[in-house]
Each structure stands twice: as structure tokens, then as C-alpha cells.
Amino acid sequence: MTVMGHITGPFGISGWVKVYPYTEYTDGLLEYSSWCLSKENGEWQEVQVVTARINGNTLNAKLKGYTDRTQALRLKGMQIAIPRSQLPVLPEGGDLGYYWSDLIGAEVVNLTGEKLGKVTGLLETGANDVLRIQHAGKEEREVLIPFIEQVIIKVDLKLSRIIVDWGIDY
């Protein structure tokens, strides 16, 4: 399974849910008519997507069998995944050798070995993509790092680590 987003909570009173996608484009999950849902490290349950629409940088989705706010509230925090076999095949190596969702949770370290935090998401800005890092130093804060060749030195999926040319105090 490839985690492609998570449910942030209910939307309205008719069983709709709000989804934070981990895809490059907000509508990336709309290409799939069914999603697999699970709490972290749990069993996956397949659900059919009745309809969905973009709402800013999130999605609103109506899932089959969920008809009211109380049912939708039970889905809050669920991870959304697609079987890897259903995803387009990626070219070997290079910048296109992974999905955005592969980067979520990766540790970010700078060239001097300082730990900047873990990737919580990515943003598409138009000019370039941006890594969202949760810094867990003395004060928890979000750090935004441009996902560009000059800054991103190496993405190592095996070690779940991204090496960047970025100062801890930027």
C-alpha cells in the first residue's frame, strides 16, 4: 500500500469527509474510484468513492456507506492508501523515482549532520515544490524547505532520509 493522504475529519452533516492529500497535485486521489483506509499499522479496509471535489488544498469526499456526520467522524485520522500495483510505474533513479507519499515521515538532515525534523507534507507553489518539515527542537515549529536541486542534495528512501543544504536557523 502507498499512503496518499489522510482524513482530517467530517465535512458537513451528510457523511462527507475532509481529506489532506499527500499527492503532488491536490486532485491526485480523484483518479481512483476506491481507497483503502486504516489507522496507523492496522488492517486496510476498501471503500468506494461516490464523489469528491477539490476544496483549496484539500479534498471533500463522499464515501459509500457513510451517510451522516457521526459516521464520518469515526474516519478522522484514517490513512488513505492505494495499492502500489495500481500506481503508474516510475522511472528508475532521478527525481522521479519516488512518490511524494514516499517522502512523508523521512528524516531531514543538513550537510553538517544537524537534524531538521521529519517531512509532514509537501506543498505545490507553482514555482517549485516545498517540503513541510516538523522541527522537534527546543520549540516545535514547521520549517519550509524548497524542493529544488540546489537545496535537496540526496533523497535516500532506504534510510528514509533526505539530505539538504539548509541551515538549522533559516
Side-chain angles (χ1 to χ4, degrees):
M1 293 290 184
T2 300
V3 177
M4 306 277 282
H6 72 273
I7 297 175
T8 61
F11 179 78
I13 60 170
S14 301
W16 286 68
V17 293
K18 291 186 282 187
V19 173
Y20 181 80
Y22 301 157
T23 54
E24 181 175 5
Y25 302 104
T26 304
D27 63 353
L29 276 169
L30 300 182
E31 297 177 23
Y32 304 95
S33 60
S34 65
W35 298 340
C36 295
L37 303 181
S38 176
K39 291 284 186 186
E40 288 189 33
N41 300 324
E43 291 186 28
W44 294 100
Q45 146 196 351
E46 186 174 353
V47 295
Q48 299 299 313
V49 180
V50 175
T51 188
R53 61 179 174 246
I54 297 173
N55 186 0
N57 64 348
T58 63
L59 297 174
N60 297 333
K62 175 74 170 148
L63 305 176
K64 186 176 182 180
Y66 294 86
T67 58
D68 64 41
R69 184 174 181 84
T70 303
Q71 290 174 320
L73 186 60
R74 290 187 205 122
L75 299 177
K76 183 177 180 178
M78 290 269 200
Q79 297 291 309
I80 300 169
I82 304 296
R84 190 103 183 174
S85 61
Q86 291 182 16
L87 300 175
V89 176
L90 295 171
E92 291 293 322
D95 290 341
L96 299 176
Y98 46 83
Y99 288 100
W100 272 23
S101 60
D102 294 336
L103 304 178
I104 305 297
E107 182 179 50
V108 179
V109 179
N110 67 16
L111 292 172
T112 61
E114 296 171 302
K115 294 180 181 180
L116 302 180
K118 292 195 180 277
V119 177
T120 59
L122 289 100
L123 302 171
E124 180 188 0
T125 66
N128 56 266
D129 299 328
V130 176
L131 285 174
R132 294 178 59 207
I133 312 298
Q134 186 62 44
H135 178 71
K138 293 179 183 173
E139 58 184 63
E140 275 200 29
R141 61 186 169 96
E142 183 176 67
V143 177
L144 301 176
I145 299 176
F147 198 77
I148 56 175
E149 188 176 339
Q150 298 90 327
V151 175
I152 305 300
I153 305 303
K154 182 177 182 182
V155 174
D156 188 334
L157 294 179
K158 289 180 184 170
L159 294 177
S160 192
R161 177 178 287 172
I162 301 172
I163 299 172
V164 296
D165 186 3
W166 198 258
I168 199 162
D169 56 351
Y170 287 5

